[in-house]
Amino acid sequence: MRYLPHLDSDRKAMLEAIGVASIDDLFTDVPEAARLKGLVDLPLKQGELAVERAMSAMAAKNVSAGSVPFFLGAGAYRHHIPSTVDHLIQRSEFLTAYTPYQPEISQGTLQTLFEFQTQVALLTGMDVANASMYDGSTACAEAVMMAARVTKRDKAVMAGTVHPHYVEATRTLAKHSSVEIDVTEPGLGGLEALIAAIDESTACVVVQTPDIFGQLHDLRAISEAAHAKGALLIAVFTETVSLGLVEAPGDMGADIAVGEGQSIGVGLNFGGPYVGLFACKNERNFIRQMPGRLAGETVDADGRRGYVLTLSTREQHIRREKATSNICTNAGLCSLAFTIHMTLLGEAGLRTLARLNHETACELADRLGSIEGVELVNSSFFNEFTLRLPKPAAEVVDELARIGVLGGVPASRLYPGQFEDLLLVTATETNTESDMIVFEKALRGVL
């Protein structure tokens, strides 16, 4: 990006054009208490070289994921992305129209979205998938709204072990609708409380596996309980790689599967942009109630295969009051990266990658669980598990970071005031044996 400084006269002309006296006037709607002072404390009127140096010095204060042993997860996971992915997404063949309204000039975009949908449907064990969402949390929220439309009911029951950010996104979207969000108490046990909360007014039941604590759940019993009351089952996942080993949601009785696809092809990227996955069964009027876009295959006037948007029931296509959603498709580059990475892996590659993740996590769990005072609380897990520590996990994480180990996410960060002794730890194929040795030694020392 070019460095284009503004003169005082430039700023004055822009402020006059929009009718305010100063730049500070642009922020009058933001409460004073919510404003962060000195976030970017740069000297004024510096040249481009000076600004680059100042910004580089600020960036050097960060501890990047690739510079130290890294064991964070909780919804965003560090995986190796082949250099082929970055190379291919920059090729001119994919630089078609950003938004595929005009199929005659967007065939590259539409075809990759069509392939993306096929991959997501196969991964989740579902009949149909859309062309992606913003991220896993908004996919979850939209699934709840869809279930309410399908069942014509107004209550969603969510497990307390669904990622708290997903719960909050769902509550935010439901706030201006008639849908009531009922969340069970979070905990390390089973799903009995969730099943007990289902009644004849329940539109859907939302459960995550592996859940926020890394625990795996067989969804069959809760699927039967939900369907017995006429409710839909929404299965959530935050780690797509788990689908290489864990049974697909559709095969366990889920009606809708939603999750985060960041693990395939998309880096951590400071928290985004990511790619939400959304798939469902081909039953009742499910497909017509799906949010987002769907790419379909057809033939043109000459009988040649082509791709188009189909069943476009978003507010940009039809009258807003008849729209299923006003969400846009996720940034197309993320879904393209997902599709390329998944194609490079293939089914065998994904299963091998998943197995490597699980084996690495098992080895790390054994190492850390052998430390005096440390308890592994999971009875099952994929590549993420929870440890109970003899001191507050947040303090331990801070001490580990100071000595160069990013050793997990304190559960209290996701549940303020709760689970202060629990630490969420993730191991992926990027963690070497030396990483695990360093982590084990550092944790022994801190404790």
Side-chain angles (χ1 to χ4, degrees), residues 87-337:
H87 174 74
L88 288 176
I89 64 176
Q90 297 178 66
R91 287 185 62 88
S92 60
E93 292 94 324
F94 295 117
L95 297 179
T96 53
Y98 160 71
T99 187
Y101 292 131
Q102 296 173 282
E104 62 273 12
I105 61 172
S106 303
Q107 284 299 292
T109 296
L110 288 163
Q111 183 173 357
T112 54
L113 290 176
F114 185 83
E115 300 298 339
F116 169 86
Q117 292 170 178
T118 303
Q119 290 172 338
V120 174
L122 289 171
L123 278 171
T124 56
M126 292 292 175
D127 299 318
V128 62
N130 71 11
S132 77
M133 311 293 280
Y134 289 137
D135 58 14
S137 66
T138 48
C140 177
E142 290 284 356
V144 169
M145 298 298 105
M146 171 181 160
R149 292 191 299 271
V150 169
T151 62
K152 295 181 172 54
R153 295 180 178 182
D154 57 5
K155 186 176 83 169
V157 179
M158 302 185 73
T161 50
V162 172
H163 197 300
H165 296 171
Y166 288 41
V167 173
E168 287 307 306
T170 304
R171 280 178 166 152
T172 298
L173 189 58
K175 183 164 59 177
H176 299 292
S177 73
S178 60
V179 180
E180 171 193 349
I181 307 299
D182 182 6
V183 184
T184 62
E185 282 296 314
L188 299 167
L191 300 172
E192 294 79 12
L194 187 67
I195 292 175
I198 306 170
D199 58 28
E200 283 73 13
S201 67
T202 303
C204 60
V205 183
V206 185
V207 60
Q208 179 178 326
T209 183
D211 67 21
I212 188 61
F213 298 108
Q215 188 75 15
L216 290 162
H217 298 283
D218 187 337
L219 303 182
R220 289 176 178 84
I222 197 160
S223 172
E224 293 174 3
H227 293 157
K229 298 288 188 179
L232 304 184
L233 174 60
I234 298 173
V236 177
F237 54 90
T238 59
E239 170 57 291
T240 310
V241 176
S242 68
L243 297 175
L245 280 185
V246 177
E247 193 164 2
D251 296 339
M252 290 191 284
D255 300 289
I256 304 172
V258 293
E260 178 55 65
Q262 170 269 323
S263 293
I264 305 294
V266 183
L268 290 172
N269 299 344
F270 299 98
Y274 287 167
V275 51
L277 310 184
F278 193 114
C280 69
K281 295 291 188 182
N282 184 15
E283 298 176 2
R284 295 151 77 174
N285 58 340
F286 282 12
I287 295 178
R288 290 190 176 277
Q289 292 298 334
M290 285 182 70
R293 297 189 178 106
L294 283 85
E297 183 183 291
T298 186
V299 292
D300 65 12
D302 297 321
R304 295 174 301 186
R305 182 172 61 176
Y307 300 90
V308 295
L309 288 184
T310 184
L311 298 174
S312 298
T313 51
R314 295 172 55 252
E315 53 85 13
Q316 290 180 343
H317 299 281
I318 66 173
R319 289 196 301 275
R320 183 169 298 176
E321 63 273 14
K322 290 190 175 182
T324 57
S325 169
N326 64 3
I327 195 169
C328 289
T329 304
N330 170 270
L333 202 64
C334 295
S335 56
L336 174 61

Side-chain angles (χ1 to χ4, degrees), residues 368-369 371-378 386-390 422:
L368 302 182
I371 300 174
E372 184 178 356
V374 176
E375 176 193 358
L376 174 67
V377 302
N378 297 72
T386 301
L387 300 175
R388 179 172 280 112
L389 305 181
L422 297 185

Side-chain angles (χ1 to χ4, degrees), residues 79-91 265 340-341 344:
H79 291 283
H80 172 69
I81 301 173
S83 57
T84 311
V85 174
D86 285 339
H87 174 74
L88 288 176
I89 64 176
Q90 297 178 66
R91 287 185 62 88
I340 293 172
H341 193 181
L344 291 169

Side-chain angles (χ1 to χ4, degrees), residues 19-35 37:
V20 295
S22 70
I23 292 176
D24 290 338
D25 290 344
L26 300 175
F27 301 93
T28 53
D29 292 333
V30 180
E32 190 70 31
R35 302 183 194 182
K37 303 296 183 182

